[in-house]
């Protein structure tokens, strides 16, 4: 069937695909990276091959009606930029852990894809965490980076003396904050 001009698989086709993998009829890749193996391939199909129309890969709308819409190409570009920020500016490497305590704003998904791209372990946290909750997660995970918003930054700052592994703090906010890297400014 066609849905917005894209071929979609029926549930039975998807189940048969997974059955064929489980029965070793299809070769599983040794290494799989969702960002490069799926998102970048769809971007390539949109951009170079012209086999797919440019459709949104990401579409976010908040309660006030503000929209953010990214194509596969834009999502790829922005996630590579975010990956560079995490790797170069924050000094994170494959296997390092980053905690993101954010509401589900576009940056949350962007950072999620950036972590997939780099092999950094993304640990999501709800924006309802208290300072005690944040401290526990930082200590238990040995996270080297925390990403949060200006509302939760004071809670993080209150537990900083007890977080020996934490190397960088990133804030997702319009304004800057002392001792924090601002994601929007780094972009």
């Amino acid at each position: 069937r066609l849905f917005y001009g894209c071929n979609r698989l029926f549930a039975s086709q998807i189940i048969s695909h997974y059955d064929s993998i489980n029965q070793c009829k299809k070769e599983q890749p040794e290494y799989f990276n969702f960002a490069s193996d799926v998102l970048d391939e769809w971007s390539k199909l949109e951009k170079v091959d012209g086999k797919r129309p440019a459709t949104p890969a990401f579409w976010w709308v908040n309660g006030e009606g503000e929209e953010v819409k990214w194509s596969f190409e834009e999502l790829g570009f922005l996630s590579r930029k975010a990956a560079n920020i995490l790797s170069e500016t924050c000094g994170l490497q494959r296997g390092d852990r980053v905690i993101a305590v954010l509401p589900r704003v576009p940056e949350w998904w962007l950072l999620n894809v950036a972590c997939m791209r780099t092999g950094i372990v993304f640990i999501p946290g709800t924006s309802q965490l208290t300072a005690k909750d944040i401290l526990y997660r930082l200590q238990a995970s040995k996270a080297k980076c925390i990403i949060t918003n200006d509302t939760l930054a004071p809670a993080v700052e209150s537990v900083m003396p007890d977080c020996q592994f934490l190397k960088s703090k990133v804030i997702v906010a319009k304004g800057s904050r002392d001792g924090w890297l601002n994601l929007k400014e780094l972009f």
Side-chain angles (χ1 to χ4, degrees):
R1 284 189 170 169
L2 293 179
F3 181 74
Y4 291 107
C6 302
N7 291 326
R8 302 287 180 175
L9 295 175
F10 290 114
S12 61
Q13 291 171 310
I14 294 170
I15 291 169
S16 67
H17 175 73
Y18 287 112
D19 285 341
S20 65
I21 289 174
N22 289 334
Q23 296 169 6
C24 299
K25 292 179 182 174
K26 292 197 179 201
E27 190 175 316
Q28 293 181 8
E30 185 177 354
Y31 300 102
F32 176 77
N33 185 308
F34 180 78
S36 58
D37 294 336
V38 176
L39 294 178
D40 290 351
E41 285 301 312
W42 281 44
S43 174
K44 181 182 160 200
L45 290 173
E46 271 183 3
K47 184 179 174 185
V48 179
D49 300 339
K51 292 181 182 175
R52 290 183 43 84
T55 56
F58 178 83
W59 193 345
W60 176 87
V61 181
N62 69 7
E64 289 81 46
E66 177 188 355
E67 288 187 2
V68 174
K69 199 184 291 190
W70 296 323
S71 68
F72 285 95
E73 182 181 1
E74 290 167 324
L75 181 58
F77 174 76
L78 293 170
S79 67
R80 283 188 288 281
K81 263 184 123 164
N84 287 337
I85 291 168
L86 293 174
S87 298
E88 295 170 12
T89 308
C90 297
L92 300 175
Q93 299 174 356
R94 182 178 191 81
D96 286 343
R97 294 168 190 90
V98 60
I99 294 180
V101 184
L102 292 168
R104 296 311 174 253
V105 292
E107 292 83 0
W108 188 91
W109 278 279
L110 188 60
L111 290 162
N112 196 333
V113 174
C115 286
M116 286 181 213
R117 195 173 284 288
T118 57
I120 296 169
V121 179
F122 182 81
I123 303 171
T126 175
S127 56
Q128 296 175 336
L129 295 177
T130 65
K132 184 179 174 182
D133 298 327
I134 292 170
L135 175 62
Y136 172 76
R137 282 162 176 77
L138 286 168
Q139 289 176 336
S141 68
K142 299 178 182 172
K144 292 185 179 179
C145 178
I146 187 162
I147 303 167
T148 192
N149 59 11
D150 49 359
T151 305
L152 289 165
V156 173
E157 289 168 343
S158 71
V159 300
M160 282 299 300
D162 298 322
C163 302
Q164 69 270 18
F165 298 103
L166 196 61
K167 292 183 178 178
S168 55
K169 303 175 296 189
V170 180
I171 193 164
V172 178
K174 291 181 180 169
S176 60
R177 187 177 187 95
D178 287 340
W180 290 77
L181 299 168
N182 186 300
L183 186 66
K184 294 179 188 260
E185 290 173 7
L186 291 171
F187 264 96

